[in-house]
Amino acid sequence: MNGNAGGEGGMMMEEEEAKMNNQREALQRKKNAILVDGVILNGPVADAKAGEKFVEEASKIIMEEVIKKAADVTEKVCEWHPPEKLKTLLDLELKDTGETHQRLLQFCQDIIRFSVKTNHPRFFNQLYAGIDYYSLAARFITEALNPSVYTYEVSPVFLLVEEAVLKKMIEFIGWEEGDGIFNPGGSVSNMYAMNLARYRYCPDIKERGLSGMPRLVVFTSEECHYSVKKAASFLGIGTQNVYFVKSDERGKMIPEELEKQVQRARKEGSAPFFVSATAGTTVLGAFDPLDEIADICEKHDLWLHVDASWGGSALLSRKHRKLLQGIHRANSVAWNPHKMLMAGIQCCALLVKDSSDLLKRCYSANASYLFQQDKFYDVSYDTGDKSIQCSRRADAFKFWMTWKALGTTGLEERVNRALALARYLVDEIKKREGFQLLLEPEYANICFWYIPPSLRNMEKGQEFWEKLNHVAPIIKERMMKKGSMMLGYQPHRGKVNFFRQVIISPQVSREDMDFLLDEIDSLGKDL
């Protein structure tokens, strides 16, 4: 207690001394003041020394409270409070006057304390998890440098990094050449692809708009990511013109059903132009049969996009890349290294099999204040006009740093280990009473029910399923309030609520898989 009091007293004295120094400097400036509209323009106003000190102290908190605790399973995944209670625990009000640095550091502590620890080994809730230290260091660098990746003159290093990363990703897809851009999310990549396909189908739309365009139709599976529907809405294609193709019991698009839907659209007088297949669906982790879908797309001259936001990282594994057999036949691919490869949110690439500058022709606006053609260097490196954004983060750098640190072999091992742990969990589920798989997984998504003792001898009729539907939400509430782990659940295609376990982080161990099942049983056996 005394040591803490002494430390706090010392910091307060330092702040007082800094304040006095600032006042003395302010008085000196006033003596030689140049005023414009009542504002003193002499010297910098910001206190660099104080700012540096704050960053240094905040960095220590981040190191101690986030990074060093990231792999500690004894820490809570979350300290749960409902919204109204959390508002009382956090000082969220923005005031007319600034706070002291000591108070700001306390805010940092509070924000970390009450946030979900997504880097915790027992955070299984989403399609991202864990902490990659190399990516994290890269994020610190980009946050400090604050670059915007649109022209070589302001972002020379990060444009070259992005070029190198895109080239390597294109190589793993199996294309001899291609183009690409990093985007803020796989949803945006899917929208980019749909718009790019529409531009190729009817280039006049860029200038003339939707007026006079035919009724365009998009095809995707029942298991697709919801961003495909959102993209159709955003682009003015219309959600009614998204034809959902039936999937089989494993969640894979049925090619014969795609053919039927294309024929239907043609008979209706519509203009089919785009097929979005999925490599790694969100819930079941299913991979569409890309070769068969590509055959249909080639037959009807349709743009084939593969949403491999989740499953694309399997391309780095020689053992598991067969899941994406045929992806080299796609016109475009969405791939998110921030998921399985842990590059840090967000890190998402759209890759295009094209060498004709299609991306730039589709999206460019030729802003004369940014993309001057008479610059003193090779302006082909000013790639920002390929994006709908102006300011754009250096997201590729995070992935580049991780790839540099681990090498392709290390990234491959990361994928292989995650899928090996998934296989271990599946085998354990099969052994344990009260646990039931929905289906055999082919990726890192393990979907299962927990059946409490009270339901185990009940006939599996309507009453059974109605009662089982309430089990997962109650267990989820209990685990979050306890802070022991986080695991997602959902109903899906007529099936009542079940758990979806996703394995990503190399910090996750076999013991964590055992804990997962033990904890579910402990939290739910009284239901």
Side-chain angles (χ1 to χ4, degrees), residues 146-441:
N146 197 32
S148 184
V149 186
Y150 38 49
T151 63
Y152 184 82
E153 64 184 280
V154 298
S155 193
V157 173
F158 297 117
L159 275 166
L160 295 180
V161 164
E162 182 174 69
E163 179 186 58
V165 173
L166 289 169
K167 182 179 179 182
K168 200 69 175 175
M169 294 175 81
I170 285 167
E171 178 185 316
F172 273 93
I173 289 172
W175 298 335
E176 291 184 3
E177 57 185 359
D179 199 359
I181 195 85
F182 272 79
N183 300 309
S187 295
V188 174
S189 293
N190 290 339
M191 185 186 73
Y192 265 52
M194 189 182 294
N195 192 50
L196 199 61
R198 183 174 66 174
Y199 175 77
R200 188 196 68 164
Y201 184 82
C202 41
D204 287 348
I205 198 169
K206 180 176 178 180
E207 294 183 359
R208 296 184 181 179
L210 297 172
S211 178
M213 288 294 113
R215 178 175 173 253
L216 299 173
V217 173
V218 168
F219 306 91
T220 191
S221 83
E222 297 172 330
E223 297 282 331
C224 76
H225 191 262
Y226 63 83
S227 61
V228 177
K229 191 174 180 179
K230 283 195 170 189
S233 171
F234 187 84
L235 294 172
I237 291 167
T239 58
Q240 289 184 353
N241 296 319
V242 179
Y243 286 17
F244 292 99
V245 181
K246 289 180 181 177
S247 302
D248 63 19
E249 68 282 354
R250 296 189 57 78
K252 299 170 179 287
M253 185 191 292
I254 302 171
E256 294 79 9
E257 294 297 325
L258 173 61
E259 176 67 36
K260 289 178 185 176
Q261 292 279 36
V262 174
Q263 297 287 1
R264 170 195 159 196
R266 292 223 189 272
K267 287 178 183 176
E268 293 170 347
S270 302
F273 77 103
F274 180 80
V275 175
S276 180
T278 311
T281 60
T282 304
V283 177
L284 301 180
F287 288 73
D288 288 340
L290 300 181
D291 263 328
E292 294 169 74
I293 293 170
D295 288 341
I296 295 169
C297 290
E298 288 176 6
K299 175 183 173 183
H300 295 284
D301 191 25
L302 304 176
W303 181 288
L304 174 57
H305 172 66
V306 178
D307 179 5
S309 297
W310 172 223
S313 298
L315 289 168
L316 293 171
S317 167
R318 285 165 289 186
K319 182 175 182 179
H320 298 291
R321 65 174 295 123
K322 61 181 180 288
L323 291 168
L324 297 106
Q325 178 65 38
I327 195 170
H328 64 287
R329 299 175 66 185
N331 297 96
S332 57
V333 174
W335 178 359
N336 293 3
H338 77 230
K339 295 183 185 287
M340 179 63 77
L341 299 177
M342 301 170 59
I345 291 177
Q346 53 207 15
C347 186
C348 315
L350 172 70
L351 305 147
V352 184
K353 188 199 291 184
D354 174 73
S355 58
S356 70
D357 252 354
L358 185 66
L359 263 173
K360 187 172 182 180
R361 285 186 284 120
C362 179
Y363 291 111
S364 65
N366 302 312
S368 59
Y369 68 91
L370 274 179
F371 304 111
Q372 304 94 329
Q373 296 304 295
D374 55 357
K375 292 181 179 180
F376 63 93
Y377 59 86
D378 182 354
V379 295
S380 68
Y381 286 96
D382 289 356
T383 58
D385 225 10
K386 294 193 294 187
S387 170
I388 61 171
Q389 298 170 255
C390 182
S391 299
R392 194 164 62 90
R393 295 172 65 88
D395 291 329
F397 181 58
K398 298 176 286 189
F399 188 30
W400 179 87
M401 185 71 89
T402 297
W403 205 328
K404 274 286 193 181
L406 301 181
T408 304
T409 303
L411 294 176
E412 179 181 27
E413 288 172 357
R414 186 170 281 184
V415 175
N416 289 345
R417 188 176 187 277
L419 296 187
L421 272 173
R423 174 47 51 193
Y424 172 82
L425 182 61
V426 167
D427 292 342
E428 288 301 304
I429 287 172
K430 290 177 180 178
K431 294 176 190 175
R432 296 205 184 201
E433 186 180 9
F435 290 86
Q436 181 181 328
L437 281 173
L438 264 74
L439 75 168
E440 286 284 339

Side-chain angles (χ1 to χ4, degrees), residues 487-507:
L487 177 65
Y489 75 87
Q490 62 282 302
H492 189 66
R493 295 182 69 185
K495 293 181 172 65
V496 302
N497 282 319
F498 57 87
F499 289 111
R500 181 201 64 171
Q501 159 71 345
V502 179
I503 302 171
I504 296 173
S505 171
Q507 278 88 27

